[in-house]
Amino acid sequence: MARAKKKYSQIDHMVQMGRVSALMEASISLNKLILKETQKAISDADGLIFLTDASSSIHQLDFKINEILRKSNKNYVLAVNKSETKESKNNISEFYSLGVKETFEISAKLLTNLNCLEKFLAKKTTIFVGNSGSGKSTLTSAITGKEILSRDLSNNQGVHTTSVSTLYNTGDMQLIDSPGVRDINLDHLKPNKIIFGFSEIYRFSAKCEFPNCNHINDRGCAVIEAVKNGEIEERRYNNFIVLSQRK
């Protein structure tokens, strides 16, 4: 009995190590693309808004992005998004450690303090940069009044779609919506490993009624419930489904 328990303990440890390895691999792929897009944004825009997610603790990637922006000598501000969440009350102070002179606590979801950003955006071509899931497209939608779709971007009047990004003309400002997770090359990862790159979805998946839940239409899916409750962004969920269902 003791040997059997030890054996299962070893197997469980190997499974957990495999999950950690997959999570790290997916995260590294995401982080590399985000840093690459940040570098490109510097050359494409007059102004930069560094967007962070206050619903989670400050991430090491936030420090790396901030260092790139600081060395660019370009004008940028820090927008600490999702300030309406319960978790933000404990996390917001961490983002002030980045030392950005102009820092605003905002909520793209509730339209809180967006007027502060609009003053910075005036008469500039601006791009939002930040970690995956920080709410860049939600903020773009809030400011432009145009819904940013999860897959094919809208091609309405005043919207110019390119292979790299989308330019929105709004009053005296121009906003560039840079590619998100939909454009990441994750061909080296198996579809069932994609979930490890979406930490919030992976966290809720542990609460699903069935361990092999497909997170689409299975009964007792905690992920779908979290999307309905606004605990997981619908755009992030859609990206996860697209990537995990690819052949």
Side-chain angles (χ1 to χ4, degrees):
M1 181 66 72
R3 287 184 178 179
K5 286 185 177 180
K6 183 176 181 182
K7 180 180 179 181
Y8 285 121
S9 177
Q10 289 174 337
I11 292 174
D12 184 63
H13 176 70
M14 291 172 65
V15 170
Q16 290 299 325
M17 289 301 293
R19 288 176 175 173
V20 171
S21 176
L23 174 59
M24 289 179 65
E25 188 175 357
S27 295
I28 289 171
S29 297
L30 288 166
N31 292 351
K32 283 183 177 179
L33 180 78
I34 291 167
L35 292 175
K36 180 180 178 182
E37 287 299 319
T38 299
Q39 292 279 15
K40 187 178 186 305
I42 292 172
S43 60
D44 286 350
D46 302 321
L48 298 155
I49 292 182
F50 178 19
L51 199 63
T52 57
D53 176 7
S55 67
S56 302
S57 296
I58 195 167
H59 192 280
Q60 188 63 35
L61 187 62
D62 293 324
F63 288 101
K64 292 181 180 179
I65 293 173
N66 188 56
E67 186 65 12
I68 291 173
L69 296 176
R70 187 183 64 79
K71 289 182 178 179
S72 73
N73 291 321
K74 278 208 171 183
N75 192 18
Y76 75 100
V77 299
L78 173 63
V80 185
N81 193 23
K82 304 185 184 180
S83 61
E84 81 283 358
T85 60
K86 295 179 180 178
E87 298 83 358
S88 70
K89 307 309 175 188
N90 298 321
N91 299 329
I92 283 180
S93 60
E94 297 179 7
F95 295 94
Y96 283 91
S97 67
L98 293 169
V100 182
K101 186 176 180 180
E102 290 189 84
T103 298
F104 306 105
E105 298 172 19
I106 71 165
S107 170
K109 181 179 180 179
L110 301 182
L111 309 181
T112 306
N113 288 340
L114 298 193
N115 59 316
C116 297
L117 294 184
E118 289 171 352
K119 293 177 182 178
F120 175 82
L121 292 168
K123 300 179 180 179
K124 291 189 185 78
T125 298
T126 307
I127 192 168
F128 300 131
V129 298
N131 203 346
S132 177
S134 58
K136 293 185 289 292
S137 292
T138 303
L139 182 56
T140 301
S141 295
I143 292 176
T144 64
K146 302 178 187 298
E147 182 181 3
I148 311 301
L149 303 181
S150 59
R151 295 191 68 180
D152 298 323
L153 295 180
S154 172
N155 203 18
N156 297 330
Q157 185 178 5
V159 180
H160 310 284
T161 304
T162 71
S163 60
V164 178
S165 57
T166 306
L167 178 65
Y168 294 87
N169 294 302
T170 304
D172 62 348
M173 66 182 77
Q174 292 185 319
L175 296 179
I176 300 175
D177 177 43
S178 61
V181 73
R182 62 184 181 275
D183 300 301
I184 298 173
N185 183 2
L186 295 176
D187 291 339
H188 62 293
L189 290 178
K190 294 180 180 179
N192 66 341
K193 302 295 185 184
I194 294 298
I195 192 170
F196 300 125
F198 293 81
S199 58
E200 74 278 34
I201 295 177
Y202 175 61
R203 185 172 68 252
F204 278 102
S205 70
K207 301 178 183 179
C208 290
E209 186 173 339
F210 301 105
N212 60 342
C213 181
N214 65 12
H215 310 307
I216 299 175
N217 51 19
D218 279 355
R219 179 169 57 86
C221 178
V223 170
I224 294 176
E225 193 64 27
V227 174
K228 291 179 180 178
N229 295 336
E231 296 173 283
I232 294 176
E233 286 188 17
E234 187 174 352
R235 179 181 174 82
R236 291 270 290 170
Y237 170 77
N238 290 339
N239 282 326
F240 159 68
I241 293 299
V242 169
L243 290 172
S244 61
Q245 294 295 307
R246 77 193 197 284
K247 301 290 185 178

